């Protein structure tokens, strides 16, 4: 590998191999790169959301509703499962999104005690434009990989993440 092809992780791994030859530092080759990439992705996500006046948590709730398909509504319980937050947190988030005019609550016609949360037209437009912007930025992050490499990387990451995403 030429010095030009080396990255910060290569230098980090080489230093640890010198300082701690008794340890297998091979996981750093993958996981330090994943960690560094996650930081770049987080910056890109935050920038995309900020351009559309959204916080990451707002985007998460709005995209959960958008993915549900027309009429873009879910119960608070379904939103909890989709966003992995507590019920108290979700109640607060729904309140704040409703105050911003991005979602509305309405009675659940199938459950007199329940409510459904749905996107407003403003919420739909905002999440659609933010999602388009995010995808543009994510394509830029992956621009150094061709389609075959992207598919291969996606498969490897899927294998790595599968044990963590399995229902327990």
């Amino acid at each position: 590998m030429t010095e030009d092809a080396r990255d910060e992780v290569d230098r980090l791994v080489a230093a640890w191999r010198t300082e701690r030859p008794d340890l297998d530092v091979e996981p750093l080759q993958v996981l330090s790169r994943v960690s560094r990439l996650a930081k770049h992705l987080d910056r890109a996500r935050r920038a995309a959301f900020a351009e559309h006046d959204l916080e990451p948590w707002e985007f998460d709730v709005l995209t959960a509703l958008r993915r549900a398909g027309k009429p873009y509504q879910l119960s608070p319980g379904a939103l909890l499962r989709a966003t992995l937050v507590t019920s108290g947190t979700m109640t607060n988030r729904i309140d704040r999104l409703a105050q911003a005019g991005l979602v509305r609550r309405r009675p659940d016609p199938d459950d007199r005690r329940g409510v459904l949360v749905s996107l407003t037209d403003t919420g739909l437009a905002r999440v659609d434009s933010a999602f388009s912007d995010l995808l543009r930025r994510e394509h830029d992050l992956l621009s150094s990989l061709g389609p075959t490499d992207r598919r291969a990387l996606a498969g490897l990451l899927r294998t790595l993440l599968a044990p963590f995403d399995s229902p327990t």
Side-chain angles (χ1 to χ4, degrees):
M1 178 181 315
T2 67
E3 186 62 33
D4 291 344
R6 291 172 49 98
D7 65 4
E8 186 60 31
V9 173
D10 290 324
R11 289 184 279 280
L12 175 109
V13 168
W16 278 120
R17 283 186 174 142
T18 299
E19 293 301 314
R20 291 297 307 268
D22 57 311
L23 295 177
D24 177 7
V25 296
E26 194 63 27
L28 296 175
Q29 292 282 7
V30 173
L31 300 178
S32 289
R33 286 185 174 93
V34 168
S35 177
R36 293 171 70 83
L37 182 60
K39 290 175 185 171
H40 291 288
L41 176 58
D42 185 59
R43 286 186 197 121
R45 290 173 59 89
R46 289 181 182 281
F49 304 154
E51 281 189 21
H52 300 277
D53 198 27
L54 292 172
E55 293 293 329
W57 67 264
E58 291 172 309
F59 183 81
D60 288 346
V61 175
L62 297 175
T63 55
L65 292 166
R66 181 64 170 96
R67 288 190 311 269
K70 284 186 178 184
Y72 312 118
Q73 67 184 19
L74 291 169
S75 69
L79 282 169
L80 284 174
R81 290 185 292 280
T83 59
L84 303 175
V85 298
T86 65
S87 61
T89 298
M90 182 53 64
T91 298
N92 180 271
R93 289 180 176 185
I94 293 168
D95 289 346
R96 291 174 63 186
L97 289 167
Q99 288 171 350
L102 301 175
V103 302
R104 72 177 144 272
R105 286 186 178 95
R106 66 177 191 83
D108 185 340
D110 299 325
D111 179 359
R112 284 196 276 171
R113 296 175 297 149
V115 297
L116 294 172
V117 179
S118 60
L119 286 175
T120 63
D121 290 342
T122 301
L124 178 62
R126 183 98 52 96
V127 72
D128 278 353
S129 62
F131 186 56
S132 294
D133 191 19
L134 174 62
L135 286 176
R136 181 186 56 76
R137 292 167 190 266
E138 289 182 352
H139 278 284
D140 289 347
L141 283 173
L142 295 171
S143 64
S144 63
L145 298 176
T148 301
D149 287 339
R150 287 181 192 190
R151 284 190 296 276
L153 180 59
L156 292 168
L157 291 171
R158 183 181 305 108
T159 299
L160 188 61
L161 284 171
F164 300 101
D165 289 343
S166 297
T168 53

